[in-house]
Amino acid sequence: MKKTKLLQSMLLASAVAASSLSAPLMAADVPAGTKLADVQEFVRDNGAEPGSLDPQKIEGVPGANIARDLFEGLLNQSRDGKEQPGVATSWSANADNTVYTFNLRKDAKWSNGDTVTAHDFVYAWQRAVDPALASPYSWYMEIPMIVNASKIVGGEAEPSSLGVRAVDDFTFEVTLEGPVPFFVKMVTHTTMFPVHKATVEAHGDKWTQPENIVTNGAYTLAEWKINERMELTRNTNYWNDAKTVINKVTHLPIEAASASLARYRADELDFGNFPTEQIKQLRKEMGDEIYITPKLCTYYYILNTQVAPYGDARVRKALSYAIDRDIITEHITATGQLPAYGLTPEIIANFDPQAPAYASMSQADRVAEATKLMAEAGYSDSNPLNINLLYNTSEGHKKIAIAISQMWKKDLPVETSLENQEWKTYLSSRNEGNFTVARAGWCGDYNEASTFLDLMTSTGMNDGKWINAEYDELMAASKTMSDPSANYNRAEEILAEEMPIIPIYQYTGVNLIKPRVGGYAYDNPEGNVYSRDVYIKAE
Amino acid sequence: MLSFIIKRALEAIPTMLVLTFVSFMLMYLAPGSPFLTEKGMPPEVLANINAKYNLDKPLLEQYIIYLGNLLQGDFGPSFRYLDFSINDLLWPGLVVSATIGMWALLFAVISGIAMGMMAALNRNKTTDYSIMTIAMLGIVLPTFVMAPLLVLLFSIKLRWLPAGGWNDGAAQYLVLPVIAVTTHLVAQIARITRGSLIEVLNSNFIRTAQAKGLPFRYIIFKHAFKPMMLPVVSYLGPVFVGVLTGSVVIDVYFGTGGIGQHFVNGAINRDYSMVMGVTVLLGVMYIFFNAVTDIVYAFIDPKIRY
């Protein structure tokens, strides 16, 4: 292959992806001898109603789940989260990894029969940064440093000046301001999916309605009833339609886990959810239908470093050390979560986070160290630290907060009062710094450690206002390094030394999946599933 | 009567103005905003969004813009469902909830009045006690207990009816939500009817009718029925609006797509235009149905004249 030489010089991220070019293309891979059901319909609980189906406006998981069925970006993800050809069949980078060229397949079609071209991508990407569209995810285009993206979002340049270009109908070129190593990983995200220009321009905000929408994915939208259901039918113009098995996909926006479980039990869902506190009973009842998968998300407590005494690293570390994370993951969350001692989850791609030193200490040693640190910081039983612990109203967060406050009380001169606030009130308190210790959670936007570590830079969503110059420099430099692992490990080390946040556990996803479902992407770390990979076996 | 209706309509205007103004201001006082998320967003992105939705203008100006659009029947864009306007969301939701509500109410009025009358006419006998026991069960069992119990029995164990969904109001999707809503209503109406009929039967004009030797059936339906209905009608007025506009428990548990879910989610998500839309809709309906109740009074109570 002529590409081989080029590939060698390419970055790890894209190299891994490109090597999969020789692997079979994604679509439903039905093993020989499988008897398929006569009716190929897949009904899944999608958790909530999406805020939008417009790829450039989508900001949540429910919307992204549906967009992956309706649209196809330059690249897709394999079941285990690696990049695979999508509309682009191959891609390459120039010598300094700032100009990426994607070669598009010529047989990719929109659901109305039009050909998918590089111009569609140019239009969509310019749209994503256009202040007139005001996409809540426009920042996503700024992360890979696409030329002028930040200026356009900031209103200082025209959308047409974005560093994207259709070299010809089937060659799409992206120019970056620096060699961002994980750029290729980012193009599997909905924000970078193409849209059909004529349709968007003809219908404005209403272009995603079933009667208007034109899609380029395996499915098209047949029905959208808010808070009830969304029905997708096969897009017969999809280039790989011959390998799609499921004829109809129904996404149900079921908010209550108990309702999801009831409908799963009534056999109305193939893929459902359940209240995690019922796990013990469900394990007995339908253990082989429960799937627990690690997620790219971390649960942690933020300490407001602007408020005394949380500016004192000794206090922060003492509070962290005194938490026995094993008790929380084994007895409270109890659905396969891993204790977290750093910010980046262990399943992250291309980076193997080194566990900080305190992770390998015994809990007794950690408590001894914590006791010492608190004494040094001037706290004693006669002068205890009073903590107000803020969390958003939820039974799960409450249980964890109670356990942690007990751990603190038992071993340290600490008295904790719990405060719960309704979601937006809580967000506003965090945002405005009206807290001392607050619960938080973060999920990766793409499978690369910077989506976590950037959080703690002085310009990140760092609600505790912790500032560390070395950390900022490490993260800024890592952006354009071909292997930033050393920087990431040093950044995690600083977090462990300074403890501006207290990592608690790494999330898991828990779901129920009927045994009749085949081809489900259980191992995708971002939980990205394409319905076209799925098939229903005969029962 | 006509002047009464006109008077009521004119009174509604300042009421609605105060209602929209107060709720608009209260809503903005609540902490948080529609586009505040845990993920957060860079200030320049937030600025673009605020500009698009007029959120960067002074509050009073925003209110005037809102009022101007409202007068043209435009409830504005949703801040939570970016592909929809509030008009697109409110009406389909209202249709779903009103369908469930109408059936539930119809069933509740017929069976509730029948049960209440049977109980009153068999006062302190076994029939009375058993009817009132059932009614008490209906009152103490809240919808969020009722709904899962119904689903457990009819959807999971017996597999007779779907556990959720709406499918454009197909009959089998209606049954469980209607039962879940109606139980409480039947019970309330039965209790009110019973109490009311017992009181009416003790009044002088009934004794007079009995003294005249009128047949008992004639006394009940000709003389006692109308006055018995007075407390039932005053109960139904506000209940009517509540039932038509649905219940968040029903909508979330059965996934019907009714308007009740918008009430609660609108507030949780700080979807300002949704909260306003729902407030305006509810306000108009309350004013309308209170007026209707007053008019119905005039028909059943000869002492009331407008």
Side-chain angles (χ1 to χ4, degrees):
Chain A
M1 235 159 67
K2 201 175 133 229
K3 272 196 272 336
T4 322
K5 259 235 145 69
L6 228 165
L7 281 176
Q8 282 169 348
S9 71
M10 278 176 72
L11 310 156
L12 186 59
S14 35
V16 170
S19 66
S20 58
L21 271 173
S22 51
L25 287 171
M26 280 300 281
D29 278 327
V30 186
T34 308
K35 196 171 177 303
L36 290 177
D38 294 336
V39 180
Q40 287 295 327
E41 290 183 5
F42 181 49
V43 185
R44 58 169 296 169
D45 170 11
N46 194 24
E49 187 64 49
S52 174
L53 283 190
D54 181 329
Q56 275 79 53
K57 287 194 207 164
I58 289 171
E59 55 174 332
V61 172
N65 283 340
I66 299 164
R68 270 191 298 277
D69 285 349
L70 294 177
F71 300 92
E72 183 168 77
L74 293 166
L75 303 179
N76 294 323
Q77 277 189 357
S78 65
R79 275 179 208 138
D80 54 357
K82 304 282 192 302
E83 293 76 39
Q84 296 229 316
V87 175
T89 51
S90 62
W91 59 96
S92 57
N94 68 348
D96 66 354
N97 290 313
T98 51
V99 180
Y100 282 81
T101 309
F102 294 87
N103 301 308
L104 311 191
R105 63 177 74 250
K106 298 191 168 64
D107 56 346
K109 294 263 191 294
W110 291 99
S111 52
N112 67 352
D114 290 358
T115 303
V116 180
T117 67
H119 302 282
D120 295 322
F121 283 93
V122 171
Y123 175 66
W125 290 34
Q126 288 177 350
R127 202 172 167 259
V129 289
D130 191 344
L133 187 81
S135 162
Y137 247 60
S138 48
W139 58 267
Y140 189 84
M141 307 299 282
E142 301 180 52
I143 304 258
M145 298 163 66
I146 302 174
V147 168
N148 281 338
S150 294
K151 279 189 185 158
I152 301 168
V153 174
E156 294 158 29
E158 285 302 308
S160 56
S161 65
L162 186 71
V164 293
R165 186 165 78 97
V167 178
D168 59 48
D169 278 0
F170 301 104
T171 312
F172 179 63
E173 189 188 273
V174 185
T175 311
L176 311 179
E177 282 160 7
V180 176
F182 49 87
F183 167 64
V184 169
K185 287 196 147 310
M186 292 186 72
V187 307
T188 59
H189 194 270
T190 57
T191 316
M192 294 183 171
F193 284 0
V195 292
H196 190 259
K197 187 177 178 183
T199 307
V200 176
E201 287 181 346
H203 302 286
D205 283 346
K206 301 247 183 284
W207 78 269
T208 54
Q209 298 299 319
E211 63 273 21
N212 302 333
I213 198 166
V214 172
T215 65
N216 77 323
Y219 296 90
T220 190
L221 184 62
E223 190 104 61
W224 187 0
K225 303 280 186 196
I226 284 269
N227 289 339
E228 191 214 342
R229 77 199 141 104
M230 193 163 329
E231 283 177 12
L232 277 50
T233 49
R234 287 261 285 261
N235 170 11
T236 48
N237 282 316
Y238 177 58
W239 63 270
N240 205 15
D241 183 52
K243 287 206 75 179
T244 307
V245 178
I246 297 289
N247 293 318
K248 184 174 139 191
V249 186
T250 307
H251 291 273
L252 300 174
I254 307 176
E255 285 175 8
S258 56
S260 185
L261 176 60
R263 291 180 74 172
Y264 183 86
R265 278 187 163 144
D267 208 19
E268 292 172 22
L269 302 178
D270 297 305
F271 174 93
N273 192 359
F274 61 90
T276 45
E277 60 269 21
Q278 294 190 30
I279 181 105
K280 273 195 182 141
Q281 190 212 333
L282 288 176
R283 276 219 168 98
K284 282 181 219 147
E285 215 180 298
M286 44 173 97
D288 53 343
E289 294 172 39
I290 297 174
Y291 284 90
I292 297 180
T293 45
K295 272 174 86 175
L296 271 180
C297 301
T298 305
Y299 189 105
Y300 59 97
Y301 280 175
I302 322 174
L303 301 157
N304 191 344
T305 59
Q306 301 299 305
V307 176
Y310 305 98
D312 184 343
R314 289 173 302 190
V315 173
R316 301 196 298 254
K317 277 167 89 167
L319 293 176
S320 172
Y321 283 17
I323 296 174
D324 188 340
R325 290 150 175 92
D326 292 330
I327 289 182
I328 291 166
T329 54
E330 279 164 31
H331 301 290
I332 302 177
T333 59
T335 37
Q337 288 81 357
L338 290 175
Y341 299 92
L343 179 55
T344 316
E346 289 165 34
I347 52 160
I348 200 89
N350 302 334
F351 169 52
D352 193 11
Q354 271 173 19
Y358 81 102
S360 47
M361 288 161 74
S362 73
Q363 188 56 32
D365 289 348
R366 278 197 287 256
V367 168
E369 180 67 20
T371 316
K372 204 180 94 201
L373 288 166
M374 279 308 265
E376 281 173 26
Y379 291 98
S380 62
D381 286 336
S382 56
N383 176 31
L385 168 64
N386 290 304
I387 294 179
N388 181 22
L389 175 54
L390 174 69
Y391 61 94
N392 55 300
T393 311
S394 131
E395 271 308 303
H397 300 327
K398 186 176 171 183
K399 279 185 197 159
I400 294 169
I402 290 173
I404 288 179
S405 61
Q406 284 307 308
M407 291 172 191
W408 285 340
K409 190 185 169 74
K410 183 165 74 68
D411 297 318
L412 301 178
V414 165
E415 290 293 335
T416 312
S417 54
L418 304 186
E419 182 181 2
N420 63 308
Q421 288 180 351
E422 167 269 349
W423 179 242
K424 290 269 183 174
T425 310
Y426 147 86
L427 286 182
S428 158
S429 300
R430 260 182 64 183
N431 212 13
E432 287 163 18
N434 284 330
F435 69 97
T436 49
V437 181
R439 174 262 149 195
W442 188 264
C443 289
D445 284 298
Y446 42 92
N447 194 353
E448 212 280 336
S450 63
T451 188
F452 287 91
L453 295 171
D454 274 344
L455 188 65
M456 297 309 295
T457 60
S458 50
T459 53
M461 274 300 289
N462 169 1
D463 288 333
K465 302 279 177 267
W466 171 76
I467 293 169
N468 183 293
E470 186 192 351
Y471 190 94
D472 281 3
E473 278 163 30
L474 283 168
M475 290 314 295
S478 73
K479 277 227 145 186
T480 52
M481 289 167 78
S482 59
D483 182 8
S485 291
N487 281 31
Y488 291 168
N489 271 323
R490 177 65 195 136
E492 285 280 8
E493 235 174 72
I494 297 175
L495 290 182
E497 282 161 18
E498 289 276 314
M499 209 69 77
I501 56 163
I502 303 176
I504 296 169
Y505 69 80
Q506 303 169 24
Y507 282 82
T508 48
V510 278
N511 283 107
L512 292 164
I513 303 175
K514 294 275 179 191
R516 61 175 176 253
V517 176
Y520 193 85
Y522 301 111
D523 301 327
N524 189 296
E526 290 162 85
N528 291 347
V529 172
Y530 300 85
S531 301
R532 63 181 148 78
D533 297 344
V534 173
Y535 52 90
I536 306 290
K537 292 176 267 192
E539 281 178 288
Chain B
M1 178 63 82
L2 187 66
S3 64
F4 169 76
I5 293 171
I6 293 170
K7 190 167 155 263
R8 270 305 182 82
L10 289 176
E11 275 172 13
I13 296 170
T15 312
M16 286 309 294
L17 268 177
V18 171
L19 178 70
T20 53
F21 183 78
V22 170
S23 26
F24 199 86
M25 297 302 151
L26 277 178
M27 195 173 61
Y28 278 81
L29 278 180
S33 65
F35 297 100
L36 179 64
T37 63
E38 184 159 28
K39 282 261 158 206
M41 52 180 86
E44 68 275 13
V45 177
L46 191 62
N48 289 338
I49 291 177
N50 286 341
K52 178 170 174 167
Y53 291 99
N54 289 326
L55 291 169
D56 53 349
K57 298 208 167 62
L59 200 49
L60 205 61
E61 193 182 334
Q62 289 186 44
Y63 174 68
I64 291 166
I65 296 176
Y66 180 79
L67 212 57
N69 290 337
L70 188 62
L71 288 175
Q72 296 164 39
D74 177 6
F75 284 94
S78 169
F79 295 174
R80 162 68 173 83
Y81 306 107
L82 302 180
D83 302 354
F84 291 85
S85 68
I86 297 299
N87 296 50
D88 294 336
L89 296 171
L90 280 186
W91 306 127
L94 187 61
V95 168
V96 170
S97 294
T99 310
I100 298 174
M102 289 297 271
W103 283 109
L105 206 60
L106 186 72
F107 188 76
V109 167
I110 294 172
S111 53
I113 291 177
M115 281 167 71
M117 287 176 72
M118 261 164 67
L121 297 175
N122 297 287
R123 192 176 167 195
N124 297 342
K125 290 185 195 149
T126 324
T127 324
D128 182 17
Y129 291 137
S130 32
I131 289 176
M132 282 307 113
T133 308
I134 296 169
M136 192 46 87
L137 267 179
I139 286 172
V140 297
L141 268 185
T143 324
F144 62 83
V145 175
M146 212 40 211
L149 283 179
L150 289 170
V151 166
L152 182 66
L153 180 62
F154 293 106
S155 309
I156 298 175
K157 296 280 179 229
L158 299 172
R159 295 277 166 102
W160 287 352
L161 292 162
W166 181 245
N167 277 22
D168 303 311
Q172 70 268 35
Y173 289 87
L174 259 169
V175 180
L176 295 185
V178 168
I179 297 179
V181 174
T182 210
T183 335
H184 187 77
L185 293 173
V186 172
Q188 286 284 10
I189 293 175
R191 289 178 60 84
I192 295 170
T193 309
R194 176 182 178 275
S196 172
L197 185 56
I198 287 172
E199 206 183 309
V200 170
L201 288 179
N202 283 335
S203 50
N204 291 335
F205 70 97
I206 297 290
R207 205 168 304 132
T208 311
Q210 280 172 328
K212 281 199 293 185
L214 290 175
F216 189 63
R217 191 176 290 265
Y218 184 84
I219 294 175
I220 294 294
F221 288 99
K222 189 69 192 171
H223 293 284
F225 193 81
K226 270 190 179 178
M228 172 197 87
M229 284 302 288
L230 269 178
V232 179
V233 169
S234 47
Y235 169 73
L236 283 180
V239 161
F240 201 68
V241 180
V243 167
L244 287 191
T245 50
S247 132
V248 64
V249 178
I250 296 294
D251 291 340
V252 171
Y253 197 77
F254 290 106
T256 55
I259 204 172
Q261 206 169 344
H262 287 318
F263 282 30
V264 174
N265 285 358
I268 290 175
N269 297 322
R270 304 290 191 272
D271 189 347
Y272 293 155
S273 41
M274 177 61 86
V275 173
M276 286 308 293
V278 165
T279 309
V280 169
L281 186 73
L282 263 189
V284 168
M285 285 175 77
Y286 269 109
I287 291 172
F288 179 75
F289 285 107
N290 274 335
V292 169
T293 312
D294 288 347
I295 294 168
V296 174
Y297 268 174
F299 281 105
I300 54 177
D301 188 345
K303 283 179 287 186
I304 299 171
R305 281 290 171 264
Y306 299 113

